[in-house]
Amino acid sequence: MGGPEIERLIGLLAKLPGLGPRSARRTALRLLQQPEARMLPLAAALAEAARAVRPCGLCGNLDSADPCTICTDADRDGGLICVVEGVGDLWALERAHVHRGRYHVLGGTLSALAGIAPEDLNVAPLLARARAGGVREIILALGATVDGATTMHWLTEKLRPLGVAVSRVGQGMPMGGALDVLDDGTLAAALRARQPL
Amino acid sequence: MGGPEIERLIGLLAKLPGLGPRSARRTALRLLQQPEARMLPLAAALAEAARAVRPCGLCGNLDSADPCTICTDADRDGGLICVVEGVGDLWALERAHVHRGRYHVLGGTLSALAGIAPEDLNVAPLLARARAGGVREIILALGATVDGATTMHWLTEKLRPLGVAVSRVGQGMPMGGALDVLDDGTLAAALRARQPL
């Protein structure tokens, strides 16, 4: 159609999440029409990010600094660690500006089905952080799934002997949610988590 | 969150067609998790396409060869030129394998509203190709819009004196279409374009 360069670009774009072959073609075409203004900056940003960004050696966050900007931010509460499954969860919490402590990225959850064992996760560094002292509380913010619950239970058993308070994020109705569209599990969790008024 | 490199990458991804801020973050995260396997190849493909791909000097198609691979394909009928608005239309016809002649990319349609005049379009090279001889028929495959119709009318007036047959693509029901969901304009066009059985 237009040479191997275009085919190759469309093929790589089509592998991105959310882009199928049709939108990959549309994206490629839009980019090709502005090579200087759009393609080269994107190529440079990708290459630069691939070069600079690494997992933080302390918490597992992706950052161009190591330790990451959150781990070295003196304004953050180093005594409060929020444990998340992935960097996407960390980004979501940061966007919401709801956690002013630090993080620990597990890299997944325990899963018998998927064969994910404790040694496959970023667990040992979390235990080391708890053991090193200075950590007051660890909030487990894993997904409300069977594997998430299993992992939170297992982590609690590991962390409690270290003298650290362990909590999990609350479950219940999402803000703005209508009762009649919630699934049974959420309804049950919301009732269990009822609070006196 | 993770340094300026990540923010910059998300910002550029969010400007791609079909990607909003949310999907740009998801895409960036997926890429960041596989820098060697996904980011660097994409960065290289973008840079290489930006460097190599140019509009064909004859027809306006985007290609890393100039004249493009279609213009130089000896198996194609050089006497039959299909005029399209954009490269995306050319790609669509090529995917359908329905045109074995060559193309001419206009780069838009005449538009009084948008202030697009003949000199803003890739028209002079089309007239030159028709004048140069060897062109038997020019098929106008522009959109079935007011501007498309205006442009086809204007082009017909310009091309007919050059001794070239001019046609336009048929209008009517799309394949697999149901009559009761078609708009009035398509219904009227389909009735006008009725064919004896």
Side-chain angles (χ1 to χ4, degrees):
Chain A
M1 209 156 57
E5 293 85 357
I6 296 180
E7 295 297 334
R8 184 172 150 71
L9 177 62
I10 293 175
L12 286 169
L13 287 172
K15 285 190 208 147
L16 295 180
L19 285 187
R22 175 182 283 264
S23 42
R25 283 194 299 267
R26 199 157 45 101
T27 302
L29 191 53
R30 188 77 68 88
L31 287 166
L32 284 164
Q33 282 159 350
Q34 296 170 281
E36 304 295 327
R38 304 189 69 164
M39 281 183 103
L40 290 179
L42 182 55
L46 284 163
E48 179 60 14
R51 186 196 63 75
V53 176
R54 292 284 174 272
C56 169
L58 286 177
C59 76
N61 183 22
L62 288 169
D63 200 313
S64 48
D66 185 11
C68 75
T69 42
I70 293 177
C71 279
T72 52
D73 184 346
D75 289 342
R76 284 179 173 265
D77 182 354
L80 184 63
I81 294 180
C82 181
V83 178
V84 292
E85 285 180 41
V87 174
D89 305 317
L90 184 158
W91 288 3
L93 287 163
E94 283 299 288
R95 280 199 303 283
H97 300 288
V98 288
H99 174 63
R100 295 308 297 167
R102 303 233 161 94
Y103 290 93
H104 195 85
V105 180
L106 269 195
T109 54
L110 297 177
S111 170
L113 213 61
I116 299 176
E119 57 271 25
D120 300 320
L121 300 176
N122 191 24
V123 166
L126 175 63
L127 301 179
R129 289 174 80 181
R131 256 186 229 109
V135 177
R136 198 172 64 250
E137 179 181 352
I138 292 184
I139 306 169
L140 303 180
L142 306 186
T145 60
V146 171
D147 284 345
T150 306
T151 311
M152 290 196 275
H153 182 78
W154 184 84
L155 278 174
T156 306
E157 298 296 305
K158 290 280 172 187
L159 290 167
R160 205 174 274 145
L162 306 177
V164 177
V166 183
S167 59
R168 60 175 286 176
V169 291
Q171 282 188 297
M173 284 186 66
M175 290 293 285
L179 207 78
D180 60 354
V181 298
L182 289 181
D183 61 289
D184 297 354
T186 303
L187 283 176
L191 279 181
R192 278 198 306 272
R194 65 188 177 279
Q195 303 196 331
L197 293 173
Chain B
M1 210 156 58
E5 292 86 357
I6 296 181
E7 295 297 336
R8 184 172 150 72
L9 177 61
I10 293 176
L12 286 168
L13 287 172
K15 283 190 207 147
L16 295 180
L19 286 188
R22 175 183 283 265
S23 41
R25 283 193 300 267
R26 200 157 43 102
T27 303
L29 191 53
R30 189 77 68 89
L31 287 166
L32 284 163
Q33 283 159 349
Q34 296 169 278
E36 303 295 327
R38 304 190 68 162
M39 281 183 104
L40 290 179
L42 182 56
L46 284 163
E48 179 58 16
R51 187 196 63 76
V53 177
R54 291 285 174 271
C56 168
L58 287 178
C59 77
N61 182 24
L62 289 169
D63 200 314
S64 47
D66 186 10
C68 75
T69 42
I70 293 176
C71 280
T72 53
D73 184 347
D75 289 341
R76 282 178 174 265
D77 182 355
L80 184 63
I81 294 179
C82 181
V83 177
V84 292
E85 286 179 40
V87 174
D89 304 318
L90 184 158
W91 289 2
L93 287 164
E94 284 298 289
R95 278 199 304 281
H97 299 288
V98 289
H99 175 61
R100 295 308 297 166
R102 303 232 161 95
Y103 290 93
H104 195 85
V105 180
L106 270 194
T109 53
L110 297 176
S111 171
L113 213 61
I116 299 177
E119 58 270 23
D120 299 320
L121 300 177
N122 191 23
V123 166
L126 174 63
L127 301 179
R129 290 174 80 181
R131 257 186 230 107
V135 176
R136 198 171 64 251
E137 179 182 352
I138 293 184
I139 306 169
L140 304 179
L142 306 186
T145 60
V146 172
D147 286 344
T150 306
T151 310
M152 291 197 273
H153 182 78
W154 185 85
L155 278 174
T156 306
E157 297 296 306
K158 290 280 172 188
L159 290 167
R160 205 174 275 147
L162 305 178
V164 176
V166 183
S167 60
R168 59 175 288 175
V169 291
Q171 282 188 294
M173 284 187 65
M175 290 293 286
L179 207 78
D180 61 353
V181 298
L182 289 180
D183 61 290
D184 298 353
T186 303
L187 283 177
L191 279 181
R192 277 198 307 274
R194 66 188 178 278
Q195 302 195 332
L197 294 172

